[in-house]
Amino acid sequence: MSAMEELKQKITQEIETATDLKALDEIRVNALGKKGAVTGLMQKIATLPPEERKSYGQAVNDVKTALETMLESRLAVLKKKELDARLIKEAVDVTLPAYDLDTQGSVHPITQTIEELVGIFADMGFDSATGPSLEDDFHNFTALNFPPNHPARAMHDTFYITPENEGDEPHVLRTHTSPVQIRYMEAHQPPIKMVCHGRVYRSDYDQTHTPMFHQMEGLMVDETTNFGHLKGTLKEALSAFFGVKDLPLRFRPSFFPFTEPSTEIDIGCSWKNGELVIGEGDKWMEVLGAGMVHPNVLKNCGYDPQKLQGFAFGMGIERLAMLKYGIPDLRTFFDADLRWMKHYGFMALQRPNRAIGE
Ligand code: PHE
């Protein structure tokens, strides 16, 4: 056997028995690298007599090509072997139980309270509506009979949004949900029974005020709607909400531009060992504003105030949630603190099983 053939056999055997990529690469360098054995044989061509060069050159080249092919196929085999080994080593057992991440969500008390109230009013036949947070001056103020110099219209009480085009009327972040009542009256004909709810915005921040909070308002309009309907509706709704039969209510005279007469409504309560007890005792707690819809408001919505009359009421959702669920600080509603949510939040299955009108 020629030396060349012997070398070929030796390297072939090495390739076939190489067990990893590193060893295979060493074999390649030793055979075909700059100083490799086969490369050495090729360099010998120049030193041969011309008549031997061709056949010798051909033979060396054949050896080189054969080895290259073998290296390539062994490389593929070893790569697959390495990948298989890695897959086995890094295998993830998907049948193992997952870590308990304790990330079950809960329902925010605001959402819970809104759904309870919407449900209570739905039981009494009230539709539920929502409207835009960004309002025009007409729906937030003018249609609601706010005089031009009313303090709520002042820059320091209300968030005005700079209009896109100079000269356009600035919009406001609605300061109450009453504009939804206006929009509802524009879109419907009486008889009307509706509640609306959503976020409202005022430039205020202290322990009992946040720049954003939630309101729910109600409206009933028909030919004979009167103050007795207002009283009966709120007595029924608040008794249901607080879970107190025949909850005592007190009506105090008040003022709103959009209602006449206007009233503020308190619920009966008392304090026992520092705890608020709703529905018992001789103390009063203010919970909402209300009144008979001002004739100007009906007129602004295209209704005839000679024929139609109605009542409206409005309340703060946070305040009701604080009273019912014993939450002491308004600001904590919006801190997004998961520990707070865990404590005050509601399991999805504890909620009323309907969200009517939404
Ligand atoms: N819109 C009033 C407010 O934001 C609440 C209200 C509504 C009062 C309807 C009376 C009637 O304060």
Side-chain angles (χ1 to χ4, degrees), residues 140 144 146 175-179 181 200 202 213 215-219 230 255-259 261-264 288-293 311-316:
N140 196 76
L144 287 154
F146 277 81
T175 57
H176 50 178
T177 42
S178 304
Q181 302 192 14
V200 300
R202 293 180 195 177
F213 61 102
Q215 278 190 338
M216 174 170 282
E217 299 201 2
L219 173 72
L230 167 65
F255 174 80
F256 301 103
F258 32 86
T259 45
S262 303
T263 174
E264 251 153 327
L288 50 81
M292 298 307 292
V293 181
F311 70 74
F313 60 86
M315 52 206 179

Side-chain angles (χ1 to χ4, degrees), residues 160-182:
Y160 282 85
I161 307 296
T162 318
E164 231 169 83
N165 306 313
E166 218 182 301
D168 281 1
E169 185 204 317
H171 280 60
V172 297
L173 285 175
R174 65 178 175 197
T175 57
H176 50 178
T177 42
S178 304
V180 186
Q181 302 192 14
I182 301 296

Side-chain angles (χ1 to χ4, degrees), residues 118-322:
V118 168
I120 289 167
F121 283 103
D123 282 347
M124 294 195 274
F126 282 73
D127 191 10
S128 160
T130 52
S133 287
L134 199 56
E135 269 296 359
D136 51 44
D137 178 89
F138 176 77
H139 287 94
N140 196 76
F141 293 126
T142 306
L144 287 154
N145 201 35
F146 277 81
N149 55 350
H150 192 281
R153 288 181 180 250
M155 288 285 181
H156 53 82
D157 282 335
T158 297
F159 296 109
Y160 282 85
I161 307 296
T162 318
E164 231 169 83
N165 306 313
E166 218 182 301
D168 281 1
E169 185 204 317
H171 280 60
V172 297
L173 285 175
R174 65 178 175 197
T175 57
H176 50 178
T177 42
S178 304
V180 186
Q181 302 192 14
I182 301 296
R183 291 183 179 279
Y184 196 91
M185 284 192 272
E186 287 170 339
H188 296 81
Q189 281 307 308
I192 278 173
K193 282 170 92 178
M194 62 86 83
V195 287
C196 51
H197 61 84
R199 297 178 169 199
V200 300
Y201 306 83
R202 293 180 195 177
S203 186
D204 236 348
Y205 189 68
D206 59 36
Q207 199 173 352
T208 52
H209 297 90
T210 48
M212 185 281 296
F213 61 102
H214 297 74
Q215 278 190 338
M216 174 170 282
E217 299 201 2
L219 173 72
M220 183 168 164
V221 179
D222 204 349
E223 286 171 12
T224 57
T225 305
N226 59 48
F227 204 94
H229 295 132
L230 167 65
K231 206 173 159 186
T233 303
L234 290 178
K235 177 116 176 162
E236 190 68 28
L238 291 171
S239 298
F241 178 73
F242 285 110
V244 174
K245 205 167 175 284
D246 226 1
L247 180 70
L249 296 188
R250 182 172 76 171
F251 290 72
R252 279 180 293 108
S254 185
F255 174 80
F256 301 103
F258 32 86
T259 45
E260 180 60 36
S262 303
T263 174
E264 251 153 327
I265 299 166
D266 306 331
I267 55 173
C269 65
S270 55
W271 294 91
K272 264 191 202 142
N273 307 322
E275 292 243 344
L276 177 69
V277 183
I278 289 170
E280 284 171 26
D282 56 1
K283 299 272 187 296
W284 296 100
M285 178 83 71
E286 184 195 323
V287 288
L288 50 81
M292 298 307 292
V293 181
H294 196 291
N296 286 348
V297 175
L298 296 172
K299 224 188 297 174
N300 292 336
C301 297
Y303 289 178
D304 180 356
Q306 298 299 326
K307 282 206 197 115
L308 295 162
Q309 51 192 38
F311 70 74
F313 60 86
M315 52 206 179
I317 300 288
E318 283 79 2
R319 182 158 174 77
L320 290 182
M322 285 165 85

Side-chain angles (χ1 to χ4, degrees), residues 8 12 15-16 66-75:
K8 183 185 167 194
T12 304
I15 292 173
E16 278 166 0
L67 291 177
E68 276 171 349
T69 312
M70 268 186 270
L71 278 167
E72 219 167 281
S73 65
R74 187 69 186 154
L75 184 74

